[in-house]
Amino acid sequence: MTWRLNPLLLCLLLSAAAPVAQADPAFRAWVVNFCREAVAQGVTAKTCDDAFRDVQAPDATVLEKAAYQPEFKAEAWEYLDARVNERAIATGREKLREHAELLQQIERETGVERQVLLAIWSMESGYGAALQDPKRLYYLPQALATLAYADSKRASYARSQLFAALKILQRGDVARSDFYGSWAGAMGHTQFIPTSYLSYSVDEDGDGKSDIWHSVPDALATAARLLQRNGWRSQEPWGYEVILPPGFNFDESTRTLAEWQHAGVKPVGGRIFPDGSRKAELRAFQGANGPAFLVMKNFFVLKAYNNADKYALAVALLADRIAGKPAPLRDWQRPYTPLTIAEAEELQRLLAAQGFYSGEIDGKIGDESRRAIQRFQASRGEPQTGYPSQEVLLTLRAR
Ligand code: CA
């Protein structure tokens, strides 16, 4: 007698294990068409067929991520607090020791200082930790095809990334089974999109492949090459924290450091900029109320990685802290006293224990944590700020 699984049970088992996507004929037709174009661009038909062998439909999660609008728009200081914190600094210093030889070698090859590469590694993937989280990993051909097929805003970006992704597969740098990235197509330890990968990828460990998914040497050298090619100036500061004179007129553009000096702007911890002929721009996210920085060439090179001032400032400040420099002298003006990471974890634990929160206990305050704080505040009839403050933590502890 042959043993047969009850078809209904089989169905239940399958749906419990993983939702098997229904084949979507229109999407499959789009893929066939796309593969034809890819072949015209030099990708073999086999590469494209293999890439999409198990992809039957768009990935609905990718479209959810693409449509997501954060409820709370982070202020610059919240963005910085979340990234330039004691955990990122301590891990950066550990990695500095662990990879000392490698970092020295990359520094010799590209002129990009070690602490800058560590700061980028932290910002992009939490020193690789994000690559261990299956919830954040998407099969790249499917993610990019989904965006190209169904997200009109990102279709043109996603098409060019998908062509590049297929070329990467064809080169054999990564196995199909390892070809994962963010929902938007950023890959590996240093989160390169496929076109940037093709432009900058380096095989630093010499195994014949540039594997930014598994090889820390390859990933960090690739990041260094991007900065080098975009004009990184070795041994030059990214900028200075500065003191503005009373009644400072913010209506200023690029000047040389000597001209800023003449306008009454001074470097923190000194009286004179050592390199007066260099050009610098002012960045003061909170105007006269917060810290101010004069930023120079390397700051703008960092923006080649991610074109946002707060990104470049976070990398710059985190790199300084990993290198042992102090935090900016002037603190941000915050509407509440923020928590350390350990306290933020305690806050999440207490909110969870009291039924307000069901997310992860990781000390990262995102939309979910803020909504939980709001629910807690609502339960007490307090204004629903959603702020992860010392005040909220004290109230929770007292319950
Ligand atoms: Ca390699």
Side-chain angles (χ1 to χ4, degrees):
M1 185 187 129
T2 44
W3 183 83
R4 293 183 65 194
L5 196 57
N6 177 328
L8 180 63
L9 180 61
L10 180 64
C11 242
L12 285 171
L13 277 174
L14 279 174
S15 62
V20 176
Q22 292 278 317
D24 176 336
F27 176 76
R28 284 300 309 180
W30 181 93
V31 167
V32 169
N33 210 29
F34 186 88
C35 282
R36 247 181 241 133
E37 288 181 48
V39 167
Q41 291 204 16
V43 173
T44 66
K46 184 177 184 323
T47 301
C48 205
D49 289 348
D50 283 353
F52 287 104
R53 193 191 303 144
D54 303 323
V55 180
Q56 297 302 324
D59 182 341
T61 324
V62 167
L63 294 175
E64 275 168 35
K65 295 274 179 192
Y68 171 75
Q69 300 281 344
E71 251 176 77
F72 300 90
K73 191 184 170 300
E75 300 288 338
W77 61 266
E78 286 177 287
Y79 179 91
L80 288 158
D81 282 354
R83 289 160 181 83
V84 188
N85 55 49
E86 73 270 20
R87 186 181 286 172
I89 295 163
T91 310
R93 289 178 183 164
E94 275 167 35
K95 300 287 178 192
L96 187 64
R97 286 188 291 274
E98 187 186 334
H99 298 286
E101 211 173 307
L102 165 72
L103 289 161
Q104 190 178 21
Q105 184 180 321
I106 298 176
E107 212 171 275
R108 262 200 314 270
E109 289 162 354
T110 63
V112 179
E113 288 79 8
R114 57 199 76 192
Q115 62 270 18
V116 173
L117 296 176
L118 291 168
I120 286 176
W121 189 15
S122 174
M123 294 283 289
E124 296 297 335
S125 68
Y127 304 101
L131 308 180
Q132 308 302 320
D133 180 358
K135 285 203 302 292
R136 292 167 68 174
L137 296 178
Y138 296 82
Y139 178 55
L140 273 171
Q142 184 178 27
L144 292 169
T146 297
L147 294 173
Y149 172 73
D151 182 343
S152 56
K153 272 197 309 209
R154 294 181 177 82
S156 127
Y157 159 84
R159 282 178 73 80
S160 60
Q161 295 308 322
L162 187 51
F163 284 125
L166 294 174
K167 288 175 189 164
I168 294 169
L169 271 182
Q170 186 156 308
R171 244 163 62 165
D173 281 347
V174 59
R176 199 166 61 94
S177 54
D178 285 337
F179 201 31
Y180 283 78
S182 77
W183 66 267
M187 314 178 297
H189 282 272
T190 40
Q191 295 288 283
F192 270 65
I193 56 172
T195 48
S196 300
Y197 173 92
L198 288 178
S199 302
Y200 301 112
S201 62
V202 177
D203 171 22
E204 184 72 14
D205 61 17
D207 70 347
K209 296 172 181 175
S210 175
D211 182 355
I212 62 173
W213 296 265
H214 306 96
S215 163
V216 171
D218 289 2
L220 296 185
T222 297
R225 182 183 280 191
L226 182 149
L227 297 179
Q228 181 194 27
R229 291 260 190 89
N230 282 280
W232 185 262
R233 294 185 185 163
S234 198
Q235 304 299 323
E236 191 173 304
W238 58 268
Y240 298 97
E241 188 193 356
V242 293
I243 310 272
L244 304 174
F248 178 76
N249 174 13
F250 280 87
D251 197 16
E252 303 283 355
S253 54
T254 310
R255 298 165 153 217
T256 65
L257 287 170
E259 285 163 348
W260 285 111
Q261 185 100 49
H262 189 71
V265 178
K266 282 192 292 198
V268 161
R271 292 180 49 219
I272 292 180
F273 296 106
D275 38 8
S277 62
R278 295 220 171 98
K279 290 207 165 109
E281 288 183 26
L282 184 68
R283 291 292 182 277
F285 297 132
Q286 291 187 312
N289 293 323
F293 304 93
L294 282 179
V295 298
M296 303 191 293
K297 173 70 181 175
N298 283 347
F299 180 90
F300 296 99
V301 176
L302 291 172
K303 289 179 70 176
Y305 221 106
N306 178 335
N307 191 23
D309 279 344
K310 61 185 178 182
Y311 175 86
L313 188 62
V315 171
L317 293 176
L318 180 55
D320 280 357
R321 298 299 302 282
I322 292 170
K325 292 185 190 161
L329 183 72
R330 181 113 192 242
D331 207 353
W332 303 97
Q333 292 289 310
R334 300 174 176 93
Y336 57 88
T337 315
L339 306 171
T340 65
I341 289 174
E343 288 168 339
E345 284 179 353
E346 186 189 352
L347 175 89
Q348 289 170 327
R349 262 196 305 276
L350 290 169
L351 285 168
Q354 299 180 27
F356 296 103
Y357 179 67
S358 57
E360 283 182 48
I361 312 292
D362 56 7
K364 292 180 187 159
I365 303 294
D367 276 6
E368 230 179 311
S369 299
R370 286 172 177 259
R371 275 198 298 275
I373 296 166
Q374 285 179 316
R375 284 193 287 272
F376 169 64
Q377 289 170 323
S379 75
R380 297 172 51 83
E382 290 172 358
Q384 295 174 43
T385 63
Y387 290 152
S389 65
Q390 291 287 348
E391 296 75 8
V392 169
L393 179 59
L394 285 176
T395 319
L396 274 163
R397 278 179 186 157
R399 274 160 67 104

